[in-house]
């Protein structure tokens, strides 16, 4: 099964800065079926991107995704305090649809 | 609006079973699948499996293959997840989520239930 490794584990940035989150797969993700989620404490996850780069409904264009094959990136520009959360990548190209372990983003 | 509403929290003893429901509204139920994800206290997300609301096909994570059953009831637009032989490490929040694709899961999970807390304790 595919293993997803996210880095860094924790990211601490200031409002207005840019965050770059990485998700690396142990094997090629079929059809670039890679999604990103944001989870805030006490809430279910929220879909940000699917197909590696397609924003979900209502997601601002400050959130963008790139990559293919085994290396994927979530970029968040113009950070806001509300972006503090844990971010997960997930591949859904092959069963099981594994999640990465998450990156915690802290806004100073 | 499109939403998934899950059943209430459960407390179970080791060895028991739990069945969590997930009622959909606001969309055509059998045009999508339902995925179940769990999250142990302070931990990350764990994919448990997927069920097609179109034909009932399932895909389970190997870890749960022998203990889980996921079903759907189209007449009530409800999905169910039953987990048997519960252990203390099954204590978690269990989420259902809508997935694009009625024959195979082919998208991200765009609508989530509120979560159901299952506590396993003697």
């Amino acid at each position: 099964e595919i293993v997803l490794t996210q880095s860094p584990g924790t990211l601490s940035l200031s409002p207005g800065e840019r965050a770059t989150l990485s998700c690396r797969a142990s094997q090629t993700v079929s059809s670039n079926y890679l999604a990103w989620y944001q989870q805030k404490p006490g809430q279910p996850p929220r879909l940000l991107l699917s197909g590696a780069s397609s924003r979900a409904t209502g997601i601002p264009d400050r959130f963008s995704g790139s990559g293919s094959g085994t290396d994927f990136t979530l970029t968040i520009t113009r950070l806001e305090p509300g972006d503090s959360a844990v971010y997960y990548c997930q591949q859904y190209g092959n069963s099981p649809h594994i999640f990465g372990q998450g990156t915690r983003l802290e806004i100073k | 609006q499109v939403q998934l509403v899950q059943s209430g929290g459960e407390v179970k003893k080791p060895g028991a079973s739990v069945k969590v429901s997930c009622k959909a509204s606001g969309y055509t139920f059998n045009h999508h699948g339902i995925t179940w994800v769990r999250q142990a206290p302070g931990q990350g997300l764990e994919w448990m499996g997927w069920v097609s609301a179109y034909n009932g096909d399932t895909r389970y994570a190997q870890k749960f293959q022998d203990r889980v059953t996921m079903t759907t009831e189209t007449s009530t637009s409800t999905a169910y997840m039953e987990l048997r032989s519960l252990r203390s490490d099954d204590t978690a929040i269990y989420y259902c989520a809508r997935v694009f694709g009625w024959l195979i899961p082919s998208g991200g999970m765009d609508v989530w239930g509120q979560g159901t807390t299952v506590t396993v304790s003697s």
Side-chain angles (χ1 to χ4, degrees):
Chain A
E1 76 183 37
I2 295 176
V3 175
L4 298 179
T5 302
Q6 294 187 238
S7 61
T10 302
L11 193 53
S12 184
L13 295 169
S14 298
E17 291 191 306
R18 170 196 296 251
T20 302
L21 286 66
S22 172
C23 177
R24 179 161 292 175
S26 59
Q27 305 169 38
T28 296
V29 175
S30 176
S31 303
N32 288 335
Y33 277 178
L34 192 286
W36 288 93
Y37 300 87
Q38 175 193 67
Q39 188 180 32
K40 297 180 179 180
Q43 298 182 17
R46 174 194 183 194
L47 177 65
L48 298 176
L49 301 157
S50 60
S53 61
S54 297
R55 274 186 297 277
T57 302
I59 302 302
D61 59 8
R62 298 188 300 108
F63 293 85
S64 62
S66 62
S68 64
T70 60
D71 288 303
F72 299 88
T73 300
L74 169 66
T75 301
I76 312 170
T77 58
R78 304 186 303 278
L79 284 170
E80 300 176 355
D83 296 332
S84 288
V86 179
Y87 292 82
Y88 295 94
C89 60
Q90 182 217 15
Q91 71 82 25
Y92 53 93
N94 294 94
S95 189
H97 299 175
I98 295 289
F99 288 92
Q101 82 279 18
T103 290
R104 181 177 301 277
L105 174 61
E106 300 172 348
I107 309 300
K108 299 174 189 173
Chain B
Q1 74 279 26
V2 176
Q3 62 178 353
L4 299 173
V5 178
Q6 298 183 223
S7 49
E10 303 260 15
V11 179
K12 296 291 184 180
K13 293 192 182 303
S17 298
V18 69
K19 191 170 186 177
V20 180
S21 67
C22 170
K23 183 170 178 58
S25 61
Y27 72 96
T28 303
F29 182 64
N30 62 3
H31 283 191
H32 296 267
I34 295 289
T35 287
W36 291 88
V37 173
R38 77 177 187 179
Q39 187 168 36
Q43 302 301 308
L45 302 172
E46 183 173 30
W47 185 85
M48 298 180 67
W50 167 89
V51 57
S52 166
Y54 177 72
N55 61 10
D57 279 355
T58 55
R59 295 183 182 182
Y60 300 140
Q62 179 92 13
K63 173 179 180 178
F64 301 104
Q65 184 77 37
D66 296 333
R67 298 197 293 138
V68 74
T69 302
M70 297 177 186
T71 57
T72 60
E73 187 176 82
T74 53
S75 62
T76 59
S77 298
T78 303
Y80 298 93
M81 186 282 299
E82 181 180 36
L83 188 62
R84 301 176 292 278
S85 302
L86 290 168
R87 307 184 287 255
S88 58
D89 61 359
D90 291 318
T91 294
I93 299 173
Y94 290 76
Y95 293 105
C96 62
R98 185 179 80 164
V99 180
F100 181 79
W102 56 38
L103 291 178
I104 58 170
S106 52
M109 293 173 273
D110 66 340
V111 181
W112 290 69
Q114 81 275 20
T116 296
T117 298
V118 176
T119 302
V120 183
S121 174
S122 55

